Amino acid sequence: MNRRTFIRRGLWGGLLLAVGSSIGLASWPTDRSRKPRRGLRAIDERHFAILAAVAARMVGAPKADPIEIAHRIDAQLALGAPEARADFGKLLLLLENALAGLVLDGRARPFTHLSPAAQDDVLAHWQRSSLLIRRSGYGVLRKLTQAAHYAAPEAWADVGYPGPPQIGIPS
Amino acid sequence: MSQAIALHKPGAFVDAGTLADGATLKADVVIIGSGAGGAVSASQLASAGFDVLVLEEGGHHTRADFKMREDINYPMLYQEAGARATKDVGVTILQGRAVGGTTVVNWTTSFRTPAHVYEHWRSAHAVGGVTVEQLGPHWDEVERRLNIQQVSLDETNRNNRVLYDGCKALGLAVETTRRNVKGCMKSGYCGMGCPVDAKQSMLVTYLPDAVARGARVVSRCRVDKLVVEGGAVKRVAASVIGDDGYNVSGKQITVEARRFILAAGGIGTPAILIRSGLGGGMVGRRTFLHPVHGTAAHYKDPVEPYYGAPQSVASHAHADRGDEVGLFYEAAPMHPMLAAVATPGYGAMHHGAMQRLPYLAAHVALAIDGFHPSEEGGTISVRESGAPVIDYVVPLRVRKALLFGAKTLARINFAAGATEVGFGEFPHVLARNEKELDRLTENYDVMKLPLFSAHVMGGCKMGDDPKSSVVRSTDLRHHTLENLHVVDGSVFPTSLGVNPQESIYGLAHLISERLASAWKT
Ligand SMILES: Cc1cc2nc3c(=O)[nH]c(=O)nc-3n(C[C@H](O)[C@H](O)[C@H](O)COP(=O)(O)OP(=O)(O)OC[C@H]3O[C@@H](n4cnc5c(N)ncnc54)[C@H](O)[C@@H]3O)c2cc1C
């Protein structure tokens, strides 16, 4: 974003924030159609739905299972510090938030309500953002979702990885 | 409730889960952390006849647990299940968490500390009590025990071989590395724990040596704090970790001892001091990471970066760049999860790149941080739950060096026959030749280079001036608490310019010998 667009967005941003709050953009409900298959350990169902929607765009492998990926990340977060869990929840809500999206990217819907192509645009905005919080937020979501998919054996054949060798383990 | 525990002999590996809630253990010496510094100290002090108790937060995992699978072994063996990062998540940090510490998952590259590093520490950081001459015999001994030997060129895998060939073609100094292995099968899974016990990590060397001499190693036991009374450390308060390996079970134990050694590593050691109310001054300051930037190169023929000894070649051709930040170059193994994390982009672009995994060569440039007066490194603090955080905004000059490193690695790979070289998340550089490389990296915003680290050093600096250090250099004793020592990678005043493990082994070997003789008299 160059200086001029920043100023323009800055001005418009203030106005939109005011209008947006009055029409409840910030609290537009999340599309929760991506539901957990089993009990959650670290995040709630709303976070889960957003996370699975992100996974569906981040991981390009045709056989990727966004629900399973979100479950794996939930299990991983359950092993982390409570503050890290809380931060991650905030990050998901920031991505989902239609109001922030409107101010910064000109989209007026929550992430989970966007078309796949529009979701990709949001990810591109975050990836390229001049705001460190968005760039690093993108990095966290990218790495966690892609790692959760590719770490598991089901993903290996697709990328030509034969798996660990059979080694005669000395007794 | 207090529980009598069989003392001193025989030694044993004990799971803290088997201890009663409220148990009090006693020992002559308590060592907190069982990695490079803790294990060597434990073995030496147990050999000298002291009753040693080692407390380790991670689990006691052995080769049968090392399944060569990233989904199983990263959560099992790494801090924060593999997801540790700096506060602004600008640098991903890999660090071990297990009986044996980071040595269980490291890639076995072994270097002695370069002589000029100790010279710099002596002149710039008042480290007067340790010299490379004094360390020499201790390194000899460690190298014997850990079977540290130089790799021959024909043992290298292709990922390392292209680094070697490319350096040679460009006239850059390059060598095969020395490794701490015995009977290595070159499977390529060092980072997930050695499945055949070939890696001579602390898990299979100094810790069993310590136990054979009566030491007890208590796993799944996280030290929350040291308790100081009357100007001395009296005991430690620790939490027993629950069945998931991470969260506390609710059980607490206490350990009383005459002497205490902190060996919980960079990040872990300063965090314990801060939680104990012993922070301030230089505690948690000057934490260095050897910030790493990775380069991906594609070849026409398979590289199979997942098989073979992960690191067997290193170049220090650019370690000394005068006033600019120095660099060294090594290879990095690439299994699908690490490759996915290291590959930029999302969706189809990311997947397309992942499908070329067998043809990928991956190399890293490591920046030698902390030598310039302006480089103060990162700072450790603790969050409300007690969990540590490192705040390290990698300075511009370090980042500029890493861009230079990325370009050098690209040239090395072109010289070795790569068809394409890529790095960076956005802008993503993907070049087929040097001309494209130069064009794409012109005006590159180095603040956007994605970084990681596997070498946490510093945070509890040694030195003979109490104002600018935490422990004195002759015996790594805390400047004010006479029965507290720090023996791990956190005492280094800067980074090292070489992979750290042998620097820590040698220093721990020397210092624990000094402590044993001082304490006996
Ligand atoms: C993937 C990877 C590859 C590497 N490859 C190499 C290599 O090839 N060559 C090389 O020289 N170096 C390598 N390293 C680095 C090297 O292994 C470390 O620098 C070294 O082990 C650090 O030693 P240390 O004693 O400071 O800490 P560690 O070995 O990390 O040990 C510290 C231990 O303390 C424990 N601990 C922390 N807090 C507490 C607490 N509160 N209570 C109880 N226990 C606690 C931790 O769980 C840990 O087990 C690598 C590191 C990684 C992550």
Side-chain angles (χ1 to χ4, degrees), chain B residues 1-19:
Chain B
M1 187 178 79
S2 151
Q3 176 186 306
I5 296 286
L7 280 181
H8 208 21
K9 315 279 178 193
F13 287 99
V14 182
D15 185 327
T18 63
L19 302 174

Side-chain angles (χ1 to χ4, degrees), chain A residues 78-135:
Chain A
L79 304 177
E83 293 94 342
R85 242 170 278 171
D87 286 350
F88 187 71
K90 280 186 214 146
L91 170 63
L92 289 171
L93 296 185
L94 186 66
L95 179 75
E96 174 73 346
N97 191 311
L99 180 54
L102 181 59
V103 173
L104 289 156
D105 317 323
R107 56 145 167 141
R109 290 162 148 255
F111 185 83
T112 52
H113 285 267
L114 298 173
S115 69
Q119 288 177 331
D120 286 353
D121 284 346
V122 173
L123 296 182
H125 268 111
W126 278 49
Q127 180 195 40
R128 290 145 210 225
S129 179
S130 53
L131 301 174
L132 178 65
I133 182 169
R134 286 185 149 203
R135 253 178 12 245

Side-chain angles (χ1 to χ4, degrees), chain B residues 414-485:
Chain B
F414 287 137
T419 52
E420 207 169 53
V421 179
F423 58 83
E425 170 80 49
F426 190 84
H428 177 54
V429 172
L430 196 61
R432 282 165 302 183
N433 51 50
E434 296 214 10
K435 231 170 124 187
E436 284 184 8
L437 177 70
D438 288 338
R439 184 169 50 79
L440 292 168
T441 52
E442 224 180 322
N443 304 320
Y444 193 92
D445 180 0
V446 291
M447 292 316 284
K448 292 187 177 171
L449 285 175
L451 306 180
F452 82 95
S453 166
H455 299 166
V456 185
M457 296 154 289
C460 253
K461 184 174 180 264
M462 63 172 158
D464 302 329
D465 172 10
K467 282 202 284 300
S468 64
S469 58
V470 180
V471 293
R472 63 187 195 190
S473 65
T474 37
D475 55 1
L476 304 183
R477 200 203 78 191
H478 190 270
H479 282 304
T480 51
L481 294 165
E482 292 189 7
N483 67 342
L484 178 63
H485 297 254

Side-chain angles (χ1 to χ4, degrees), chain B residues 243-256:
Chain B
D243 291 337
D244 68 7
Y246 278 86
N247 291 297
V248 291
S249 66
K251 278 199 223 173
Q252 303 269 325
I253 62 165
T254 301
V255 188
E256 296 172 352

